Amino acid sequence: MRVRTAVLAAAAVPATVAAAAAVLTAGHWQLYADRHRIELTPRPRRSCPDCRGEGGWWIGGAFPETEACGCWSDRREFRVRLLPVPAWPDEPPF
């Protein structure tokens, strides 16, 4: 019985990963994961009538800057901390 459960679980993992990737792509999210954190960050929408998928536009002046489009900048970023990041020493050990 345990072998059957393990085989079913192993078969379900690729399907779950593929489904999660499709949902993240459709929802315009980018996933980043390492052993310290998992992050979901919004991406610009290609169908946005304001920025046309560029994520923003340049505003003029003496020092031009980019203004972020609301199709991605108004959405929250999600982070889950997993393991603490090791502390860096203040001075080199030599």
Side-chain angles (χ1 to χ4, degrees):
M1 188 68 167
R2 290 183 188 213
V3 173
R4 182 178 176 199
T5 304
V7 169
L8 288 176
V13 169
T16 304
V17 170
V23 168
L24 289 173
T25 302
H28 302 283
W29 291 95
Q30 181 176 4
L31 174 70
Y32 174 79
D34 64 8
R35 63 186 205 167
H36 300 292
R37 67 188 174 276
I38 298 172
E39 291 182 358
L40 282 173
T41 54
R43 294 186 319 172
R45 297 179 187 273
R46 288 187 288 182
S47 62
C48 178
D50 296 329
C51 70
R52 296 181 185 91
E54 296 292 323
W57 49 86
W58 289 96
I59 54 175
F63 303 103
E65 298 178 355
T66 58
E67 184 173 336
C69 183
C71 70
W72 68 273
S73 67
D74 294 340
R75 296 190 304 174
R76 292 185 58 186
E77 184 175 283
F78 299 103
R79 286 191 189 140
V80 177
R81 289 188 61 190
L82 301 175
L83 292 174
V85 177
W88 287 89
D90 291 338
E91 296 182 11
F94 47 85

